[in-house]
Amino acid sequence: MTEPLLRLQSLSKKFGSLIVTDNITLDFAAGEMHAIIGPNGAGKTTLINQISGLIAPDSGSIAFAGADVTAAPPELRALRGLARSFQITSILPGFSVLENVALAVQARTGSSLRFFGRAADEAALNTPALAALEQTGIADRAKLRAGELSHGEKRALELAIALAMQPTLLLLDEPMAGMGREEAERQVDLLNRLKGRLTMVLVEHDMPAVFALADRISVLVRGRVLTTGRPDDVRADPQVITAYLGEQME
């Protein structure tokens, strides 16, 4: 049996007396799109924060690519290939779209960066940065200032920044948040194009997007995994309908 790329074992986190993640054990297979859904307060973002290293668990372990990273800081996890979209770095609105992505390339490679000089001449940074922008469909915006982008384009830029880190695992925390239907559909198309190239863990409230994208879905309720399964099985699960989906899928 193939070893999972990411394994969470008995992961728990409390804030005061509030148990936010409660003994979570999950495996994430290489190459899959694994969605995590659940009502507000279910512990989804706290779980993503633990996987990315922003929050330390109180107990349990996190194994990534065969190595225990439970105590590893976020930057070390990123260098190992675990990236989090939209929180890799803040978009710099006064810098160009290309320069924003080139920063991520620089962070990964450790090469020199002179944005206050002639950054456009940094071919070692800009070639892979342009490739990431091509992947997310906004290469034609490369010379614009990032602050001039639409909301959906900014989301695409944040994803390009994550891709520039060349991750094997990408954590996506509500990538459709704040988008209109057309922008969300473009984001779904983009993520569909990325499927199979890398492993993705998706936290999202947009249920049509989740069921269009996910290979497997885990449902969190009150910090615990209610069930994990294929989308059709989760959609039809009476416990899931009662606990979360209900009217959302009508």
Side-chain angles (χ1 to χ4, degrees):
M1 183 175 177
T2 304
E3 194 71 13
L5 180 64
L6 176 68
R7 170 166 283 170
L8 313 180
Q9 187 69 42
S10 303
L11 214 60
S12 295
K13 183 66 183 180
K14 291 172 64 177
F15 295 107
S17 61
L18 179 65
I19 300 173
V20 186
T21 54
D22 189 1
N23 198 37
I24 291 177
T25 294
L26 282 172
D27 287 347
F28 301 84
E32 79 168 334
M33 167 75 83
H34 193 131
I36 299 173
I37 66 172
N40 290 330
K44 303 181 299 297
T45 294
T46 297
L47 180 61
I48 290 292
N49 285 339
Q50 290 174 88
I51 297 171
S52 65
L54 292 179
I55 293 177
D58 294 328
S59 59
S61 63
I62 303 169
F64 174 60
D68 189 328
V69 297
T70 311
E75 58 271 21
L76 180 57
R77 299 184 200 205
L79 290 173
R80 287 179 178 270
L82 195 163
R84 179 172 181 168
S85 72
F86 316 136
Q87 293 195 10
I88 300 300
T89 185
S90 297
I91 288 176
L92 300 173
F95 284 64
S96 75
V97 169
L98 180 61
E99 287 169 339
N100 271 268
V101 184
L103 273 172
V105 178
Q106 190 271 343
R108 173 175 57 80
T109 63
S111 58
S112 65
L113 192 63
R114 298 187 298 277
F115 276 169
F116 296 102
R118 291 185 57 81
D121 294 336
E122 297 276 356
L125 302 177
N126 290 312
T127 298
L130 276 170
L133 291 172
E134 289 281 0
Q135 282 186 281
T136 58
I138 57 169
D140 60 336
R141 300 290 194 264
K143 294 182 180 180
L144 285 181
R145 289 198 302 177
E148 298 174 12
L149 298 178
S150 69
H151 177 71
E153 289 171 335
K154 287 176 181 175
R155 289 291 192 176
L157 172 56
E158 290 168 334
L159 184 54
I161 290 168
L163 292 174
M165 297 295 293
Q166 295 188 355
T168 52
L169 174 64
L170 181 57
L171 304 174
L172 298 155
D173 193 356
E174 298 193 33
M176 266 64 81
M179 289 188 181
R181 179 47 50 194
E182 287 187 8
E183 285 186 326
E185 288 174 355
R186 285 195 293 270
Q187 187 81 329
V188 168
D189 288 342
L190 168 58
L191 294 177
N192 257 323
R193 293 197 301 272
L194 294 174
K195 281 184 67 173
R197 301 186 197 177
L198 67 165
T199 306
M200 290 181 276
V201 179
L202 170 69
V203 170
E204 183 54 60
H205 285 288
D206 186 326
M207 288 301 99
V210 167
F211 283 93
L213 287 166
D215 298 307
R216 286 195 300 155
I217 299 172
S218 293
V219 184
L220 260 59
V221 176
R222 298 187 182 92
R224 292 190 172 189
V225 178
L226 179 66
T227 189
T228 295
R230 308 290 295 181
D232 287 347
D233 295 331
V234 169
R235 191 198 302 266
D237 189 321
Q239 292 185 93
V240 177
I241 294 170
T242 300
Y244 180 52
L245 291 181
E247 296 179 358
Q248 294 201 49
M249 297 309 297
E250 291 182 0

